[in-house]
Short mmCIF file of all heavy atoms in Angstrom, two decimals:
data_model
loop_
_atom_site.label_atom_id
_atom_site.label_comp_id
_atom_site.label_asym_id
_atom_site.label_seq_id
_atom_site.Cartn_x
_atom_site.Cartn_y
_atom_site.Cartn_z
N ALA A 25 4.32 36.86 13.40
CA ALA A 25 5.64 36.24 13.53
C ALA A 25 6.53 36.60 12.35
O ALA A 25 6.04 36.92 11.26
CB ALA A 25 5.50 34.72 13.63
N SER A 26 7.83 36.53 12.57
CA SER A 26 8.79 36.83 11.50
C SER A 26 9.99 35.90 11.62
O SER A 26 10.48 35.64 12.72
CB SER A 26 9.24 38.29 11.58
OG SER A 26 10.13 38.60 10.53
N ILE A 27 10.44 35.40 10.48
CA ILE A 27 11.61 34.51 10.42
C ILE A 27 12.66 35.14 9.52
O ILE A 27 12.33 35.63 8.42
CB ILE A 27 11.21 33.12 9.88
CG1 ILE A 27 10.29 32.40 10.88
CG2 ILE A 27 12.44 32.27 9.58
CD1 ILE A 27 9.69 31.12 10.34
N LYS A 28 13.90 35.13 9.96
CA LYS A 28 15.00 35.61 9.13
C LYS A 28 15.70 34.42 8.48
O LYS A 28 16.07 33.46 9.15
CB LYS A 28 16.00 36.42 9.95
CG LYS A 28 17.21 36.88 9.12
CD LYS A 28 18.07 37.88 9.86
CE LYS A 28 17.46 39.28 9.78
NZ LYS A 28 18.36 40.31 10.32
N VAL A 29 15.88 34.50 7.18
CA VAL A 29 16.58 33.46 6.44
C VAL A 29 18.08 33.57 6.73
O VAL A 29 18.67 34.64 6.60
CB VAL A 29 16.33 33.59 4.92
CG1 VAL A 29 17.23 32.65 4.13
CG2 VAL A 29 14.86 33.32 4.60
N ASN A 30 18.68 32.44 7.11
CA ASN A 30 20.12 32.43 7.36
C ASN A 30 20.92 31.80 6.24
O ASN A 30 22.14 31.93 6.20
CB ASN A 30 20.41 31.69 8.67
CG ASN A 30 19.93 32.48 9.87
OD1 ASN A 30 20.05 33.69 9.92
ND2 ASN A 30 19.34 31.79 10.84
N GLY A 31 20.24 31.12 5.32
CA GLY A 31 20.96 30.58 4.18
C GLY A 31 20.27 29.38 3.56
O GLY A 31 19.23 28.90 4.02
N TYR A 32 20.89 28.92 2.50
CA TYR A 32 20.44 27.73 1.77
C TYR A 32 20.73 26.48 2.61
O TYR A 32 21.70 26.44 3.36
CB TYR A 32 21.17 27.67 0.43
CG TYR A 32 20.96 26.42 -0.37
CD1 TYR A 32 19.69 26.05 -0.81
CD2 TYR A 32 22.04 25.59 -0.69
CE1 TYR A 32 19.49 24.90 -1.55
CE2 TYR A 32 21.85 24.43 -1.44
CZ TYR A 32 20.58 24.09 -1.86
OH TYR A 32 20.38 22.94 -2.58
N ASN A 33 19.89 25.48 2.47
CA ASN A 33 20.04 24.23 3.22
C ASN A 33 20.47 23.11 2.26
O ASN A 33 19.61 22.48 1.64
CB ASN A 33 18.73 23.86 3.91
CG ASN A 33 18.87 22.72 4.88
OD1 ASN A 33 19.97 22.38 5.29
ND2 ASN A 33 17.75 22.13 5.26
N PRO A 34 21.76 22.86 2.10
CA PRO A 34 22.20 21.85 1.13
C PRO A 34 21.64 20.47 1.44
O PRO A 34 21.52 20.09 2.61
CB PRO A 34 23.73 21.87 1.28
CG PRO A 34 24.05 23.18 1.93
CD PRO A 34 22.89 23.48 2.81
N PRO A 35 21.29 19.70 0.40
CA PRO A 35 20.77 18.35 0.64
C PRO A 35 21.84 17.42 1.20
O PRO A 35 23.00 17.50 0.79
CB PRO A 35 20.32 17.90 -0.76
CG PRO A 35 21.13 18.72 -1.70
CD PRO A 35 21.35 20.03 -1.03
N CYS A 36 21.45 16.57 2.13
CA CYS A 36 22.40 15.62 2.70
C CYS A 36 21.89 14.19 2.51
O CYS A 36 20.70 13.96 2.31
CB CYS A 36 22.64 15.90 4.18
SG CYS A 36 21.24 15.55 5.25
N ARG A 37 22.80 13.24 2.59
CA ARG A 37 22.44 11.84 2.36
C ARG A 37 21.56 11.26 3.47
O ARG A 37 20.79 10.34 3.23
CB ARG A 37 23.72 11.00 2.21
CG ARG A 37 24.45 11.25 0.89
CD ARG A 37 25.70 10.42 0.79
NE ARG A 37 26.73 10.87 1.72
CZ ARG A 37 27.90 10.27 1.90
NH1 ARG A 37 28.17 9.18 1.21
NH2 ARG A 37 28.77 10.75 2.74
N ILE A 38 21.68 11.81 4.69
CA ILE A 38 20.87 11.29 5.80
C ILE A 38 19.39 11.56 5.54
O ILE A 38 18.55 10.66 5.64
CB ILE A 38 21.32 11.92 7.13
CG1 ILE A 38 22.75 11.49 7.44
CG2 ILE A 38 20.38 11.51 8.25
CD1 ILE A 38 23.34 12.17 8.66
N ALA A 39 19.07 12.83 5.20
CA ALA A 39 17.69 13.16 4.86
C ALA A 39 17.25 12.40 3.62
O ALA A 39 16.10 11.93 3.53
CB ALA A 39 17.55 14.66 4.66
N GLY A 40 18.17 12.26 2.66
CA GLY A 40 17.85 11.53 1.43
C GLY A 40 17.54 10.07 1.68
O GLY A 40 16.65 9.49 1.06
N ALA A 41 18.28 9.45 2.62
CA ALA A 41 18.03 8.05 2.94
C ALA A 41 16.66 7.86 3.58
O ALA A 41 15.95 6.89 3.30
CB ALA A 41 19.13 7.53 3.86
N MET A 42 16.27 8.81 4.45
CA MET A 42 14.94 8.73 5.06
C MET A 42 13.85 8.92 3.99
O MET A 42 12.84 8.21 3.99
CB MET A 42 14.79 9.80 6.14
CG MET A 42 13.43 9.80 6.84
SD MET A 42 13.08 8.26 7.71
CE MET A 42 14.14 8.49 9.16
N LEU A 43 14.07 9.87 3.11
CA LEU A 43 13.12 10.09 2.01
C LEU A 43 12.97 8.81 1.19
O LEU A 43 11.85 8.39 0.86
CB LEU A 43 13.63 11.23 1.13
CG LEU A 43 12.78 11.69 -0.06
CD1 LEU A 43 13.16 13.11 -0.45
CD2 LEU A 43 12.97 10.79 -1.27
N ALA A 44 14.10 8.20 0.84
CA ALA A 44 14.07 6.99 0.02
C ALA A 44 13.31 5.88 0.73
O ALA A 44 12.53 5.14 0.11
CB ALA A 44 15.49 6.54 -0.29
N LYS A 45 13.51 5.76 2.04
CA LYS A 45 12.81 4.74 2.83
C LYS A 45 11.31 4.99 2.81
O LYS A 45 10.52 4.08 2.58
CB LYS A 45 13.35 4.75 4.25
CG LYS A 45 12.68 3.75 5.18
CD LYS A 45 13.26 3.84 6.58
CE LYS A 45 12.56 2.88 7.54
NZ LYS A 45 13.13 2.99 8.92
N ARG A 46 10.90 6.24 3.07
CA ARG A 46 9.48 6.56 3.12
C ARG A 46 8.82 6.45 1.75
O ARG A 46 7.63 6.15 1.64
CB ARG A 46 9.28 7.97 3.67
CG ARG A 46 9.75 8.17 5.11
CD ARG A 46 9.10 7.19 6.04
NE ARG A 46 9.46 7.43 7.44
CZ ARG A 46 9.43 6.52 8.38
NH1 ARG A 46 9.05 5.28 8.09
NH2 ARG A 46 9.77 6.81 9.62
N ALA A 47 9.60 6.70 0.70
CA ALA A 47 9.06 6.63 -0.66
C ALA A 47 9.02 5.20 -1.18
O ALA A 47 8.52 4.95 -2.28
CB ALA A 47 9.88 7.51 -1.59
N GLY A 48 9.58 4.25 -0.41
CA GLY A 48 9.55 2.85 -0.81
C GLY A 48 10.62 2.46 -1.81
O GLY A 48 10.48 1.45 -2.51
N MET A 49 11.71 3.22 -1.87
CA MET A 49 12.80 2.88 -2.77
C MET A 49 13.53 1.65 -2.25
O MET A 49 13.67 1.45 -1.04
CB MET A 49 13.76 4.06 -2.92
CG MET A 49 13.11 5.30 -3.53
SD MET A 49 14.22 6.73 -3.64
CE MET A 49 15.37 6.16 -4.92
N ALA A 50 14.03 0.82 -3.15
CA ALA A 50 14.64 -0.45 -2.77
C ALA A 50 15.92 -0.27 -1.97
O ALA A 50 16.20 -1.03 -1.05
CB ALA A 50 14.90 -1.29 -4.02
N ASP A 51 16.72 0.73 -2.32
CA ASP A 51 18.01 0.95 -1.68
C ASP A 51 18.03 2.36 -1.10
O ASP A 51 18.18 3.34 -1.84
CB ASP A 51 19.14 0.77 -2.70
CG ASP A 51 20.52 0.77 -2.07
OD1 ASP A 51 20.70 1.44 -1.03
OD2 ASP A 51 21.43 0.12 -2.61
N SER A 52 17.88 2.49 0.22
CA SER A 52 17.81 3.82 0.84
C SER A 52 19.13 4.57 0.75
O SER A 52 19.14 5.79 0.64
CB SER A 52 17.37 3.70 2.29
OG SER A 52 18.30 2.95 3.05
N GLN A 53 20.26 3.84 0.78
CA GLN A 53 21.56 4.52 0.70
C GLN A 53 21.77 5.12 -0.70
O GLN A 53 22.22 6.26 -0.83
CB GLN A 53 22.69 3.54 1.04
CG GLN A 53 22.64 3.03 2.47
CD GLN A 53 22.62 4.15 3.49
OE1 GLN A 53 23.42 5.09 3.41
NE2 GLN A 53 21.69 4.08 4.44
N MET A 54 21.44 4.36 -1.72
CA MET A 54 21.53 4.89 -3.08
C MET A 54 20.51 6.00 -3.28
O MET A 54 20.77 6.97 -3.98
CB MET A 54 21.31 3.76 -4.10
CG MET A 54 22.44 2.76 -4.18
SD MET A 54 24.03 3.54 -4.60
CE MET A 54 23.67 4.12 -6.27
N GLY A 55 19.34 5.86 -2.63
CA GLY A 55 18.34 6.92 -2.70
C GLY A 55 18.84 8.20 -2.08
O GLY A 55 18.56 9.30 -2.58
N GLY A 56 19.62 8.07 -1.00
CA GLY A 56 20.21 9.24 -0.36
C GLY A 56 21.18 9.96 -1.27
O GLY A 56 21.19 11.19 -1.34
N LEU A 57 21.98 9.20 -1.99
CA LEU A 57 22.92 9.79 -2.94
C LEU A 57 22.16 10.46 -4.09
O LEU A 57 22.54 11.54 -4.55
CB LEU A 57 23.86 8.72 -3.48
CG LEU A 57 24.86 8.14 -2.48
CD1 LEU A 57 25.59 6.95 -3.10
CD2 LEU A 57 25.86 9.20 -2.04
N ALA A 58 21.09 9.81 -4.54
CA ALA A 58 20.29 10.38 -5.63
C ALA A 58 19.63 11.69 -5.19
O ALA A 58 19.55 12.64 -5.96
CB ALA A 58 19.23 9.37 -6.06
N PHE A 59 19.18 11.73 -3.94
CA PHE A 59 18.55 12.95 -3.42
C PHE A 59 19.55 14.10 -3.40
O PHE A 59 19.21 15.23 -3.77
CB PHE A 59 18.03 12.69 -2.01
CG PHE A 59 17.56 13.93 -1.29
CD1 PHE A 59 16.39 14.58 -1.68
CD2 PHE A 59 18.28 14.45 -0.22
CE1 PHE A 59 15.95 15.72 -1.02
CE2 PHE A 59 17.85 15.58 0.45
CZ PHE A 59 16.69 16.23 0.04
N ALA A 60 20.77 13.85 -2.96
CA ALA A 60 21.78 14.90 -2.89
C ALA A 60 22.00 15.55 -4.25
O ALA A 60 22.23 16.76 -4.35
CB ALA A 60 23.10 14.33 -2.36
N LYS A 61 21.90 14.77 -5.30
CA LYS A 61 22.06 15.29 -6.67
C LYS A 61 20.77 15.93 -7.17
O LYS A 61 20.78 17.04 -7.73
CB LYS A 61 22.49 14.16 -7.61
CG LYS A 61 22.71 14.61 -9.04
CD LYS A 61 23.18 13.45 -9.91
CE LYS A 61 23.40 13.90 -11.35
NZ LYS A 61 23.87 12.76 -12.20
N ALA A 62 19.64 15.27 -6.95
CA ALA A 62 18.36 15.74 -7.49
C ALA A 62 17.88 17.01 -6.82
O ALA A 62 17.12 17.79 -7.41
CB ALA A 62 17.31 14.65 -7.34
N ALA A 63 18.29 17.23 -5.57
CA ALA A 63 17.78 18.37 -4.79
C ALA A 63 18.72 19.57 -4.80
O ALA A 63 18.48 20.55 -4.07
CB ALA A 63 17.52 17.94 -3.35
#
């Protein structure tokens, strides 16, 4: 199999909020904002 890269995937708050929820962070919305910066 072969995959062609189409580009970078910028971090978004939606994925960040889910990450924060799964990681047990107290505030998923703030976690989403933190993810956008940290990633």
Side-chain angles (χ1 to χ4, degrees):
S26 182
I27 293 171
K28 177 170 280 188
V29 171
N30 290 321
Y32 172 61
N33 190 17
C36 69
R37 288 180 290 176
I38 296 174
M42 180 62 76
L43 182 158
K45 179 181 177 180
R46 297 304 184 204
M49 298 177 69
D51 189 330
S52 62
Q53 296 305 312
M54 289 302 295
L57 292 172
F59 171 71
K61 181 178 180 180

